[in-house]
Amino acid sequence: MKPRDQFLDDDGVEAALGMKRDPLRFRTIWISDVHLGTTGCQAQRLLEFLRATESETLYLVGDIIDGWQLKRRWYWEQSHNNVVQTVLKKAKKGTNVIFVPGNHDEVIRQFIDLDFGGIKIRDELIHTTANGKRMLVIHGDRFDGVIACAKWLAYVGDNLYTMILKFNQWFNSWRARAGLPYWSLSQYLKGKVKNAVNYITSFEDALAAEAHKKGLDGVICGHIHKPEIRDINGIKYCNDGDWVESLSALVEDPSGELRLVTWGEIMQLKKSSKLAGVEDLCALPS
């Protein structure tokens, strides 16, 4: 019998007990690199995250739908539909949803500055935090030298990445049966291979330099699937990660502070107690 994830049945348990947990509320949430339309997309976990959280503004910072992979082979599960429907429902109920397309969903860039179903399509924009910090919000692919100068190489890299993810799924299925936690092969390789580390550093420096050039306090991006918050020459660089491996998002609390959160942290709160506010999250270990 296939083992169930320890968190996936919480909604059913709550319904059976007549319980309804309040969502964890943030001023702003940023998610990117969901890659709906691929087997590596963790759509069910993203769905749980979206249902467990609320925000005044929700940014979709690119690569939400993977047009590259869908062109090669159609793959679309019900959970992928559910993610789209949940985002549309949030927009209908008053959440300010802003979609900043990336390279994998670049076809949507033809609709820049238009609104669909309450979702605003924007190329890039400036977000002002509650404490007055002005942050550039952009997917980031235009600052990727491979994308800009040799797109064919990016396609080759995408195919290799997909192969690694498939192996990772098999490997982590075995680890789950053995009672071991999730482990990401691609994240490990990125951290160990010198060229990958240099590539990531160059990307982060380029985004920080762009924010500095525009006279801003920081930048919020996605693209490289590496969640990060750090200072680069006085510029606050934030990458919200992805929903293929990291299962992470960037959030802003009511005071304007930015923090990375993971699906696991949110589910831990949901499982342990009624969600009331971001002060509960701050009690968790970083």
Side-chain angles (χ1 to χ4, degrees):
M1 185 175 180
K2 185 178 179 181
R4 288 180 174 270
D5 190 285
Q6 61 175 319
F7 295 121
L8 296 183
D9 292 329
D10 282 356
D11 287 337
V13 171
E14 290 172 14
L17 296 176
M19 300 165 59
K20 182 174 176 60
R21 298 183 186 274
D22 294 332
L24 188 63
R25 295 178 178 87
F26 298 100
R27 184 172 187 262
T28 317
I29 297 175
W30 291 264
I31 61 173
S32 75
D33 299 273
V34 177
H35 293 278
L36 293 170
T38 69
T39 57
C41 171
Q42 300 283 340
Q44 181 60 39
R45 289 177 171 83
L46 176 57
L47 188 63
E48 292 167 357
F49 176 89
L50 292 171
R51 288 173 174 171
T53 59
E54 283 185 1
S55 60
E56 296 174 19
T57 302
L58 172 63
Y59 285 98
L60 309 173
V61 196
D63 288 0
I64 304 302
I65 299 172
D66 197 321
W68 291 9
Q69 289 295 327
L70 287 173
K71 283 181 182 179
R72 300 184 189 115
R73 181 175 74 92
W74 183 260
Y75 177 86
W76 195 269
E77 291 193 337
Q78 182 59 44
S79 59
H80 297 211
N81 261 346
N82 293 343
V83 167
V84 174
Q85 291 167 1
T86 299
V87 171
L88 288 170
K89 187 181 295 184
K90 283 179 177 287
K92 185 177 181 180
K93 289 185 175 181
T95 302
N96 182 29
V97 180
I98 303 172
F99 186 4
V100 179
N103 50 301
H104 282 262
D105 45 27
E106 61 190 350
V107 66
I108 299 174
R109 284 176 171 158
Q110 64 186 303
F111 304 114
I112 293 295
D113 294 329
L114 298 179
D115 299 353
F116 292 97
I119 298 178
K120 304 177 179 67
I121 314 296
R122 301 293 184 266
D123 187 36
E124 62 178 69
L125 66 159
I126 297 171
H127 173 85
T128 303
T129 64
N131 55 10
K133 301 298 182 182
R134 299 171 71 234
M135 309 290 290
L136 174 65
V137 180
I138 187 170
H139 180 65
D141 58 294
R142 279 170 287 183
F143 296 85
D144 180 340
V146 175
I147 297 289
C149 303
K151 197 169 185 178
W152 66 271
L153 187 57
Y155 282 112
V156 172
D158 184 57
N159 284 329
L160 291 173
Y161 182 62
T162 300
M163 290 174 60
I164 291 173
L165 288 178
K166 286 181 179 178
F167 172 78
N168 211 48
Q169 286 179 320
W170 171 83
F171 182 64
N172 277 289
S173 177
W174 172 83
R175 285 177 65 87
R177 288 195 295 271
L180 298 172
Y182 178 86
W183 181 80
S184 172
L185 173 62
S186 63
Q187 291 285 3
Y188 173 80
L189 292 175
K190 287 177 187 176
K192 291 297 182 181
V193 179
K194 182 178 179 181
N195 286 342
V197 173
N198 290 340
Y199 160 78
I200 290 170
T201 301
S202 297
F203 175 84
E204 294 173 342
D205 289 345
L207 266 295
E210 179 68 9
H212 181 268
K213 186 174 72 174
K214 292 178 179 291
L216 302 175
D217 298 295
V219 59
I220 298 169
C221 61
H223 186 57
I224 60 171
H225 295 206
K226 186 178 185 296
E228 186 79 69
I229 297 179
R230 69 185 183 96
D231 180 272
I232 302 178
N233 298 322
I235 296 294
K236 189 160 193 166
Y237 169 86
C238 304
N239 192 303
D240 58 29
D242 67 280
W243 286 86
V244 177
E245 303 167 88
S246 307
L247 309 185
S248 61
L250 182 74
V251 298
E252 177 192 0
D253 70 23
S255 70
E257 290 301 312
L258 300 176
R259 175 188 168 102
L260 286 167
V261 298
T262 65
W263 164 82
E265 287 178 328
I266 297 298
M267 293 301 103
Q268 181 181 335
L269 282 173
K270 181 181 179 184
K271 190 173 184 178
S272 63
S273 63
K274 183 176 180 180
L275 302 178
V278 294
E279 62 275 6
D280 297 313
L281 183 66
C282 294
L284 287 174
S286 298

